[in-house]
Amino acid sequence: MKSNSTRLFFIDAMRAWAILMMLQGHFIDGLLDPVFRDRNNLVFDTWLYFRGITAPVFFTVSGFIFTYLLIRVPQKGLENPRVKKGIRRGLQLLLIGYLLRMNLFGLLNGEIYDSFYLVDVLHCIGLSILGVIGIYLFSIKRKPWLFPALMLGVTILLFLFEPFYKTWSFGFLPDALANYFTKSNGSVFTIIPWLGYATIGGFLSILFTRYKNSKYLYPVAISSAIAIGSVLIFYSSDAFLELHRTTGIQLFADIFFNNYLFIRLGDVFLVFAVFMILRKFMNNATVLKIGASTLSIYVIHFIVLYGSFTGLGLYRFLNHSLNPTLVISGAIAFMVLCTYLALAYNKREQEIKDNISLIFEWAKIQTAEAYDLAKPVLKELGMRAKLFLSRVFAFVKN
């Protein structure tokens, strides 16, 4: 790939890899029998480690792509068309996130289950996009260095102070809002600290945009990613322990004992390095289509696996019941099925939307026609009801 290309194919390939790893991760984690979850088993332990890489990569790539598109256009601030599109996209992801947790049977009974208010990946990515837009609008017309500095600063602050704010219950907020900040009610993800991966992705995209025409872009980016990733994985914990011993600040010790954020960030840098090294092989049409269809794939996998709307998903019937052979073969089939359905949907997306619009238009016309037919009857009933009430009031008065 040429360094001045406006399309970063390796990013699309990373996003495709991340969504496929998310599918198999959710499938295996949800359906594998607990008896086979042995951390002393090298295969399972390796799978578990790589499963933990998926979400950080997905959030980072999402922040990278959105920021890359945001700053690529010449307009600044509110004049930037990507701002409006981003706000619409962020709100759309929030809406879809809630819809996927809706249970129609509960609604028919006049009840909204507590799980509806839990926060998941789509909620956090939607809010992350809105957060990046907020940082952009605040900083873009000030100093040119302020936007990338704030993006990097948000990541560092969120990751550094995670041991501090993760103990907060946020009990002063309604549960629906508290779920964005605490896992105590059952949320899978929270906006803090996960926004930090999106902002570091945005920071990296700014660097790529500024140096996109440099012939040394990829050699420097690859070597830097390997170096930074290795330091974060192998040395960041010891560095925080040494900071604690030197300063006596308990926060650094708390990070040392649960240093997953910085280590996972190191994993993200190494994944970036691998995909940049292999970037010349990342322009396969199918891979790029998968990378561009992550939302459709995610929605379909959620419906099939967790039973959105009906509760009748694979998780309900096969929850923690499969052996390794069945769960691995099932995960492969599950990835193929969800990807095929998503690509098929995207191919006919406009046709499907047009048909849905026609159905709603037909329903609207039928409703209007039914109202017009019923209007004289309703008018007659109204007059009779009015006459009846006047007689009742007259009788009571006398």
Side-chain angles (χ1 to χ4, degrees):
M1 186 182 69
K2 296 180 181 180
S3 62
N4 62 352
S5 173
T6 58
R7 182 74 177 267
L8 300 176
F9 294 113
F10 79 92
I11 291 293
D12 291 319
M14 281 182 66
R15 187 160 59 164
W17 175 82
I19 192 64
L20 292 177
M21 291 304 98
M22 183 179 292
L23 294 188
Q24 64 85 19
H26 286 175
F27 188 93
I28 294 176
D29 182 67
L31 305 187
L32 179 64
D33 193 317
V35 72
F36 299 106
R37 299 169 186 265
D38 182 8
R39 291 298 302 269
N40 295 320
N41 183 296
L42 181 61
V43 175
F44 177 77
D45 196 51
T46 302
W47 170 84
L48 192 63
Y49 186 88
F50 276 91
R51 181 177 182 251
I53 299 175
T54 303
V57 170
F58 198 79
F59 274 88
T60 304
V61 170
S62 297
F64 188 108
I65 292 173
F66 177 74
T67 307
Y68 182 76
L69 296 174
L70 181 68
I71 63 177
R72 194 175 62 173
V73 298
Q75 298 93 328
K76 304 294 183 183
L78 291 173
E79 291 78 24
N80 187 336
R82 284 287 170 181
V83 169
K84 185 181 292 185
K85 290 181 180 180
I87 293 174
R88 185 164 58 245
R89 184 64 163 181
L91 295 176
Q92 178 193 39
L93 292 177
L94 287 170
L95 176 61
I96 294 174
Y98 281 115
L99 288 176
L100 288 177
R101 289 192 166 275
M102 184 177 292
N103 189 297
L104 295 179
F105 296 126
L107 287 179
L108 292 175
N109 291 327
E111 182 179 359
I112 297 178
Y113 299 134
D114 291 340
S115 60
F116 172 78
Y117 299 104
L118 299 182
V119 173
D120 215 318
V121 171
L122 292 187
H123 303 81
C124 286
I125 291 180
L127 271 188
S128 295
I129 289 174
L130 297 177
V132 169
I133 291 174
I135 297 171
Y136 168 82
L137 292 176
F138 173 78
S139 60
I140 196 62
K141 291 191 176 181
R142 293 178 169 84
K143 302 293 183 180
W145 52 264
L146 186 57
F147 183 42
L150 288 177
M151 295 287 276
L152 179 61
V154 167
T155 299
I156 294 173
L157 288 175
L158 287 178
F159 286 11
L160 277 178
F161 289 97
E162 190 266 350
F164 181 64
Y165 60 72
K166 77 174 183 179
T167 61
W168 298 352
S169 65
F170 294 91
F172 58 91
L173 294 174
D175 286 348
L177 294 178
N179 289 338
Y180 282 94
F181 303 99
T182 177
K183 294 182 179 180
S184 59
N185 297 325
S187 289
V188 181
F189 290 89
T190 52
I191 190 62
I192 52 175
W194 288 95
L195 170 62
Y197 286 109
T199 51
I200 194 66
F203 172 76
L204 294 175
S205 74
I206 296 171
L207 295 182
F208 263 82
T209 302
R210 290 191 177 179
Y211 299 103
K212 63 183 178 181
N213 295 321
S214 172
K215 63 179 180 179
Y216 301 110
L217 171 61
Y218 284 103
V220 172
I222 293 169
S223 58
S224 299
I226 293 174
I228 295 171
S230 299
V231 168
L232 288 172
I233 293 171
F234 299 108
Y235 300 106
S236 62
S237 295
D238 292 337
F240 284 116
L241 181 60
E242 187 60 32
L243 282 172
H244 168 67
R245 289 171 177 170
T246 303
T247 64
I249 298 175
Q250 182 60 34
L251 177 64
F252 295 134
D254 294 337
I255 296 174
F256 167 78
F257 286 115
N258 191 27
N259 185 25
Y260 72 96
L261 290 172
F262 288 99
I263 290 176
R264 290 307 188 194
L265 182 57
D267 292 328
V268 170
F269 274 102
L270 291 187
V271 172
F272 263 83
V274 169
F275 277 84
M276 284 190 288
I277 291 171
L278 301 176
R279 66 191 181 279
K280 293 182 180 179
F281 306 100
M282 298 297 176
N283 56 357
N284 179 272
T286 302
V287 172
L288 298 180
K289 287 180 181 178
I290 294 173
S293 306
T294 52
L295 179 58
S296 302
I297 294 173
Y298 184 89
V299 170
I300 291 170
H301 112 278
F302 213 95
I303 294 172
V304 174
L305 185 59
Y306 298 114
S308 296
F309 311 120
T310 63
L312 304 176
L314 295 176
Y315 189 81
R316 176 172 179 174
F317 301 105
L318 302 174
N319 181 23
H320 296 164
S321 64
L322 301 183
N323 62 47
T325 301
L326 287 176
V327 85
I328 292 172
S329 56
I332 295 172
F334 181 65
M335 287 190 290
V336 172
L337 173 65
C338 293
T339 303
Y340 173 78
L341 292 176
L343 294 181
Y345 166 78
N346 287 349
K347 187 176 181 180
R348 297 177 173 272
E349 181 178 7
Q350 192 56 51
E351 179 184 344
I352 293 172
K353 288 181 177 179
D354 290 342
N355 288 334
I356 293 175
S357 297
L358 287 175
I359 292 173
F360 278 107
E361 188 64 28
W362 176 84
K364 182 180 178 181
I365 293 172
Q366 294 301 313
T367 302
E369 290 180 352
Y371 176 75
D372 288 339
L373 291 173
K375 194 174 181 180
V377 178
L378 293 174
K379 186 176 180 180
E380 178 66 22
L381 289 175
M383 292 177 61
R384 292 188 178 186
K386 184 177 180 181
L387 178 61
F388 173 75
L389 289 174
S390 64
R391 290 176 176 176
V392 170
F393 286 133
F395 175 79
V396 171
K397 185 177 181 181
N398 293 331

